[in-house]
mmCIF file of all heavy atoms in Angstrom:
data_model
loop_
_atom_site.group_PDB
_atom_site.id
_atom_site.type_symbol
_atom_site.label_atom_id
_atom_site.label_comp_id
_atom_site.label_asym_id
_atom_site.label_seq_id
_atom_site.Cartn_x
_atom_site.Cartn_y
_atom_site.Cartn_z
ATOM 1 N N LYS A 464 40.754 116.037 46.850
ATOM 2 C CA LYS A 464 39.998 115.870 48.085
ATOM 3 C C LYS A 464 40.813 116.343 49.287
ATOM 4 O O LYS A 464 40.293 116.984 50.204
ATOM 5 C CB LYS A 464 39.602 114.400 48.253
ATOM 6 C CG LYS A 464 38.771 114.131 49.506
ATOM 7 C CD LYS A 464 38.422 112.659 49.614
ATOM 8 C CE LYS A 464 37.620 112.392 50.885
ATOM 9 N NZ LYS A 464 37.297 110.948 51.042
ATOM 10 N N ASN A 465 42.088 116.031 49.251
ATOM 11 C CA ASN A 465 42.986 116.472 50.323
ATOM 12 C C ASN A 465 43.007 117.997 50.409
ATOM 13 O O ASN A 465 42.931 118.584 51.498
ATOM 14 C CB ASN A 465 44.397 115.925 50.070
ATOM 15 C CG ASN A 465 45.409 116.364 51.109
ATOM 16 O OD1 ASN A 465 45.968 117.454 50.999
ATOM 17 N ND2 ASN A 465 45.645 115.522 52.093
ATOM 18 N N PHE A 466 43.080 118.649 49.251
ATOM 19 C CA PHE A 466 43.067 120.118 49.195
ATOM 20 C C PHE A 466 41.769 120.668 49.784
ATOM 21 O O PHE A 466 41.774 121.598 50.613
ATOM 22 C CB PHE A 466 43.235 120.571 47.747
ATOM 23 C CG PHE A 466 42.998 122.042 47.532
ATOM 24 C CD1 PHE A 466 43.973 122.983 47.836
ATOM 25 C CD2 PHE A 466 41.771 122.501 47.043
ATOM 26 C CE1 PHE A 466 43.739 124.340 47.653
ATOM 27 C CE2 PHE A 466 41.539 123.849 46.852
ATOM 28 C CZ PHE A 466 42.528 124.774 47.163
ATOM 29 N N GLN A 467 40.657 120.095 49.378
ATOM 30 C CA GLN A 467 39.354 120.590 49.834
ATOM 31 C C GLN A 467 39.188 120.415 51.346
ATOM 32 O O GLN A 467 38.662 121.299 52.035
ATOM 33 C CB GLN A 467 38.235 119.852 49.089
ATOM 34 C CG GLN A 467 38.123 120.206 47.619
ATOM 35 C CD GLN A 467 37.098 119.357 46.891
ATOM 36 O OE1 GLN A 467 36.994 118.147 47.133
ATOM 37 N NE2 GLN A 467 36.334 119.979 45.999
ATOM 38 N N GLU A 468 39.646 119.287 51.868
ATOM 39 C CA GLU A 468 39.519 119.044 53.309
ATOM 40 C C GLU A 468 40.379 120.034 54.101
ATOM 41 O O GLU A 468 39.972 120.522 55.161
ATOM 42 C CB GLU A 468 39.917 117.609 53.637
ATOM 43 C CG GLU A 468 38.917 116.576 53.158
ATOM 44 C CD GLU A 468 39.379 115.153 53.430
ATOM 45 O OE1 GLU A 468 40.566 114.978 53.776
ATOM 46 O OE2 GLU A 468 38.563 114.222 53.308
ATOM 47 N N ASN A 469 41.558 120.319 53.601
ATOM 48 C CA ASN A 469 42.435 121.265 54.286
ATOM 49 C C ASN A 469 41.858 122.684 54.236
ATOM 50 O O ASN A 469 41.997 123.449 55.195
ATOM 51 C CB ASN A 469 43.831 121.237 53.672
ATOM 52 C CG ASN A 469 44.601 119.988 54.061
ATOM 53 O OD1 ASN A 469 44.371 119.425 55.131
ATOM 54 N ND2 ASN A 469 45.505 119.559 53.193
ATOM 55 N N ARG A 470 41.229 123.016 53.113
ATOM 56 C CA ARG A 470 40.583 124.338 53.023
ATOM 57 C C ARG A 470 39.408 124.423 54.003
ATOM 58 O O ARG A 470 39.235 125.441 54.689
ATOM 59 C CB ARG A 470 40.088 124.583 51.595
ATOM 60 C CG ARG A 470 41.193 124.848 50.601
ATOM 61 C CD ARG A 470 41.829 126.210 50.806
ATOM 62 N NE ARG A 470 41.050 127.264 50.172
ATOM 63 C CZ ARG A 470 41.059 128.526 50.538
ATOM 64 N NH1 ARG A 470 41.787 128.896 51.577
ATOM 65 N NH2 ARG A 470 40.344 129.440 49.900
ATOM 66 N N ALA A 471 38.639 123.357 54.079
ATOM 67 C CA ALA A 471 37.497 123.337 54.993
ATOM 68 C C ALA A 471 37.948 123.409 56.447
ATOM 69 O O ALA A 471 37.215 123.916 57.307
ATOM 70 C CB ALA A 471 36.671 122.071 54.764
ATOM 71 N N ALA A 472 39.160 122.911 56.710
ATOM 72 C CA ALA A 472 39.689 122.944 58.078
ATOM 73 C C ALA A 472 40.284 124.292 58.428
ATOM 74 O O ALA A 472 40.786 124.475 59.542
ATOM 75 C CB ALA A 472 40.743 121.852 58.241
ATOM 76 N N GLY A 473 40.258 125.246 57.488
ATOM 77 C CA GLY A 473 40.705 126.602 57.791
ATOM 78 C C GLY A 473 42.042 126.999 57.205
ATOM 79 O O GLY A 473 42.535 128.104 57.460
ATOM 80 N N MET A 474 42.658 126.125 56.407
ATOM 81 C CA MET A 474 43.935 126.471 55.796
ATOM 82 C C MET A 474 43.751 127.513 54.707
ATOM 83 O O MET A 474 42.756 127.500 53.983
ATOM 84 C CB MET A 474 44.600 125.224 55.180
ATOM 85 C CG MET A 474 45.383 124.379 56.139
ATOM 86 S SD MET A 474 46.382 123.173 55.220
ATOM 87 C CE MET A 474 47.180 122.322 56.552
ATOM 88 N N LYS A 475 44.741 128.395 54.564
ATOM 89 C CA LYS A 475 44.756 129.324 53.449
ATOM 90 C C LYS A 475 45.024 128.554 52.162
ATOM 91 O O LYS A 475 45.549 127.442 52.171
ATOM 92 C CB LYS A 475 45.827 130.389 53.662
ATOM 93 C CG LYS A 475 45.566 131.313 54.854
ATOM 94 C CD LYS A 475 46.682 132.327 55.008
ATOM 95 C CE LYS A 475 46.418 133.241 56.203
ATOM 96 N NZ LYS A 475 47.515 134.230 56.379
ATOM 97 N N TYR A 476 44.694 129.174 51.037
ATOM 98 C CA TYR A 476 44.859 128.514 49.732
ATOM 99 C C TYR A 476 46.289 128.012 49.551
ATOM 100 O O TYR A 476 46.513 126.848 49.196
ATOM 101 C CB TYR A 476 44.480 129.474 48.600
ATOM 102 C CG TYR A 476 44.661 128.874 47.215
ATOM 103 C CD1 TYR A 476 43.607 128.230 46.573
ATOM 104 C CD2 TYR A 476 45.889 128.949 46.559
ATOM 105 C CE1 TYR A 476 43.764 127.669 45.319
ATOM 106 C CE2 TYR A 476 46.066 128.394 45.298
ATOM 107 C CZ TYR A 476 45.003 127.742 44.683
ATOM 108 O OH TYR A 476 45.172 127.183 43.446
#
Side-chain angles (χ1 to χ4, degrees):
K464 182 180 179 182
N465 178 276
F466 170 80
Q467 290 174 320
E468 289 177 348
N469 286 331
R470 288 289 278 155
M474 276 192 180
K475 295 179 180 179
Y476 178 93

